[in-house]
Amino acid sequence: DGKTVDGTGSGSFTSQAVGLAAGVSYRLRAYATNEAGTSYGEEKTFTTLDSISVPAVATTAVSQILVKSAQSGGTVSAWGGEAVTSRGVCWNTTGTPTIADSKTVNGGGLGAFAGTLHPLAQNTTYHVRAYAANGKGTGYGNVLIFTTQSPAPAVIKVVAKDGSGDYATVQAAFNAVPDYYTGSYTIAVRAGTYKEKLLLAKGKTNVILKGDDPKTTILTYDDYAGIAGGTSLSYSAAIEADDFTAVDITFQNTVRNDGSKADQQAVALRTNGDRQSYYNCRLLGYQDTYYTWGGGHNGPGRTYMKNCFIEGSVDFIFGRSIVVFDSCEIHINREGGTLTAASTDAASQFGYVFLNSKITAEAVGFDGRAITTFVLGRPWQASPRTVFIYCEEPASLNPAGWSAWNVTPALYGEYKCTGAGSGAFGRISIGRQLTDDEAADYTPARIFAKAGNPILGFDWMPEKPVFTSVETGAKTGPLPASYSLSQNYPNPFNLTTVIQYGLPAESRVRVTVHDVLGKRVATLVDARQIAGWHQAVVDAVRLASGVYFYQIEAGDFSQTRKMMLMK
């Protein structure tokens, strides 16, 4: 009868039956022949399609509904006889959305997919449905309706070991964060060493974690893979939430990989959300210090590390996420170490990017051995991408640069690095020097763009908050009769100053700071606030001396005043 010929030998094989008639039932079975004759597999029956149709798709329930974004998706259950070339969700405010309206594009093919609806307007009702397209046309899923949230007021909570704050432990403060909170939720951690195994759950969005100083505010634990049940569970702190920022704080795991215990992988920080930023933070540990997991939720996320110190011994920066290390110090504390072990998602254009960073090494490691050699990375899983651009590399960097391991990297590169360990000669074949055109693509805006991976919801650029304490009741007495903005005090000021304003009614309030060219350098308040007297305390430690303007927008009221920073 009709048959295919698919090679010889044992093992599995795949066949494609062609030249079939439309709308006809067929029977088929596999066969294999040797000198003794031909044997057959189990008989299967199927019926060809009588015509080509659009794909069948169902819409996934809408979740994570915030002010400007929401999550949905769909499941393509039938292809219709031609390959599904695109799929996603589409939405509008009028009903029965089509791909002519706003939409996502989330790959092609059969099966389930997720998409991020963005940008959305606050407190607005939307209609959404999944779609899938092939050569015949576009099929749509069922229509769902949801309403976005309004921004919530800014919140500041204090953690202090001595009981003088709102909470005595960081985990208690994490637990109190409302799920999918739409305002900024600042947790200020006073100086101290907090020995806790911390988890900020997926739904705890928009959290800012602020320490007094990274050398005095330390979050630490001593778990490791051998007792935790695996490396991914050995963390001291796990940040699962999107839109998280940490400033001036240390994450630490104290377990050394000295051979005294089995499976001593010990993660100080595990990240698993999208749009996370870390400024002036320290990540302290040994083997597997920083796990950029990126394996949960919707897939690999994006993280920005600025002016951070990260130390370790073996594979101490590893994982799947897209991470920029901007002006950081990467510190080796054991002989024969490995900085990175990336497992970059195959669909990601970027993986680990080190920009203007400095690699340093102890003269003698924690185990007493002199540190004479280490490598930039070894490829762990998937399609690793790791590049070092304008970085300082010490003499103890092995001339080979990199080490081979489980897979072949998609890209191991360097560009115009300096120091005694830099150079284009002696590197093994899996690493190379980037061209000028290639290096020009490595900007945070491009690295963090949606185009970097189809699973990303929207373009993102990190913005460091100017840490602000916002207090109600700045003045006593009756409610203000009108909107007002007071002159900051003191003025001129050195590092900190207070801006006071009055609201006669509950209002949406935005207070911003601009330089003399009109560029916004800080957003102090962006929230709905109750009637009364309020104040914002500005920490300008990262601003240069000069003239600045601060502006309030509340209801129909807008006013701008000038202030002087003198360091």
Side-chain angles (χ1 to χ4, degrees), residues 14-47:
T14 300
S15 298
Q16 184 175 19
V18 298
L20 307 180
V24 175
S25 292
Y26 290 90
R27 294 175 175 81
L28 64 77
R29 54 181 178 169
Y31 74 90
T33 302
N34 64 11
E35 292 183 359
T38 300
S39 63
Y40 295 92
E42 178 185 0
E43 184 175 291
K44 302 289 187 180
T45 301
F46 69 95
T47 302

Side-chain angles (χ1 to χ4, degrees), residues 156 210 464-471 485-501 511-514 521-525 535-544 548-551 563-565 567:
I156 297 178
K210 174 68 168 67
K464 182 181 184 296
V466 174
F467 187 70
T468 308
S469 63
V470 180
E471 303 174 5
L485 178 66
S486 300
Q487 184 64 49
N488 66 299
Y489 179 82
N491 186 44
F493 69 101
N494 179 10
L495 297 185
T496 61
T497 188
V498 176
I499 295 170
Q500 189 165 265
Y501 54 96
V511 181
T512 52
V513 178
H514 303 259
V521 297
T523 298
L524 305 182
V525 182
Q535 68 182 30
V537 181
V538 183
D539 181 350
V541 66
R542 298 191 181 280
L543 298 179
Y548 291 88
F549 298 89
Y550 60 96
Q551 180 185 51
M563 61 183 178
M564 174 72 75
L565 171 61
K567 292 186 175 180

Side-chain angles (χ1 to χ4, degrees), residues 391-528:
C391 292
E392 183 178 334
E393 300 172 336
S396 48
L397 173 59
N398 192 302
W402 312 85
S403 174
W405 197 19
N406 294 331
V407 296
T408 300
L411 175 62
Y412 270 4
E414 298 168 83
Y415 181 76
K416 293 189 177 179
C417 292
T418 60
S422 65
F425 302 103
R427 299 295 195 249
I428 62 175
S429 60
I430 62 172
R432 64 180 178 84
Q433 298 295 312
L434 303 179
T435 67
D436 292 344
D437 287 344
E438 287 176 320
D441 284 339
Y442 285 85
T443 65
R446 286 187 56 84
I447 296 166
F448 292 139
K450 173 178 170 52
N453 188 305
I455 206 165
L456 299 174
F458 49 88
D459 294 347
W460 173 64
M461 270 296 291
E463 181 178 345
K464 182 181 184 296
V466 174
F467 187 70
T468 308
S469 63
V470 180
E471 303 174 5
T472 59
K475 288 183 179 179
T476 60
L479 292 177
S482 61
Y483 291 101
S484 64
L485 178 66
S486 300
Q487 184 64 49
N488 66 299
Y489 179 82
N491 186 44
F493 69 101
N494 179 10
L495 297 185
T496 61
T497 188
V498 176
I499 295 170
Q500 189 165 265
Y501 54 96
L503 307 176
E506 182 177 340
S507 307
R508 175 71 188 183
V509 181
R510 183 175 173 85
V511 181
T512 52
V513 178
H514 303 259
D515 62 19
V516 292
L517 299 177
K519 179 183 177 182
R520 177 169 54 85
V521 297
T523 298
L524 305 182
V525 182
D526 188 2
R528 179 167 291 277

Side-chain angles (χ1 to χ4, degrees), residues 365-411:
F366 68 84
D367 57 0
R369 291 186 295 163
I371 297 179
T372 61
T373 183
F374 68 90
V375 292
L376 298 173
R378 54 178 181 167
W380 178 31
Q381 296 173 344
S383 300
R385 291 180 178 271
T386 302
V387 298
F388 291 81
I389 298 176
Y390 297 123
C391 292
E392 183 178 334
E393 300 172 336
S396 48
L397 173 59
N398 192 302
W402 312 85
S403 174
W405 197 19
N406 294 331
V407 296
T408 300
L411 175 62

Side-chain angles (χ1 to χ4, degrees), residues 11 58 89 102 110 160 180 206 262 268 307 327 330 345 350 410 442 463 487 521 565:
V89 293
S102 299
L110 295 170
Y180 301 109
N206 292 318
N307 296 328
S327 305
I330 313 301
D345 190 80
F350 303 96
Y442 285 85
E463 181 178 345
Q487 184 64 49
V521 297
L565 171 61

Side-chain angles (χ1 to χ4, degrees), residues 249-383:
I249 203 161
T250 289
F251 301 89
Q252 181 182 37
N253 194 315
T254 59
V255 175
R256 299 181 175 186
N257 58 325
D258 57 8
S260 62
K261 308 178 183 69
D263 301 322
Q264 288 180 298
Q265 299 94 321
V267 175
L269 176 65
R270 189 191 79 184
T271 58
N272 201 31
D274 190 23
R275 303 180 301 275
Q276 295 189 7
S277 301
Y278 298 80
Y279 299 90
N280 194 34
C281 292
R282 297 191 306 164
L283 279 61
L284 308 182
Y286 299 90
Q287 184 172 357
D288 296 351
T289 303
Y290 182 24
Y291 189 6
T292 69
W293 191 4
H297 309 344
N298 297 324
R302 294 162 288 185
T303 302
Y304 181 63
M305 312 289 293
K306 177 71 172 180
N307 296 328
C308 292
F309 177 90
I310 307 168
E311 73 167 8
S313 57
V314 178
D315 303 337
F316 62 94
I317 301 172
F318 70 112
R320 183 183 177 195
S321 290
I322 301 164
V323 187
V324 172
F325 301 84
D326 185 352
S327 305
C328 295
E329 181 177 349
I330 313 301
H331 188 70
I332 297 287
N333 60 18
R334 200 193 77 172
E335 165 70 359
T338 308
L339 268 65
T340 66
S343 58
T344 313
D345 190 80
S348 293
Q349 295 181 18
F350 303 96
Y352 291 156
V353 181
F354 295 82
L355 300 175
N356 303 299
S357 291
K358 181 178 182 179
I359 303 171
T360 59
E362 300 279 1
V364 178
F366 68 84
D367 57 0
R369 291 186 295 163
I371 297 179
T372 61
T373 183
F374 68 90
V375 292
L376 298 173
R378 54 178 181 167
W380 178 31
Q381 296 173 344
S383 300

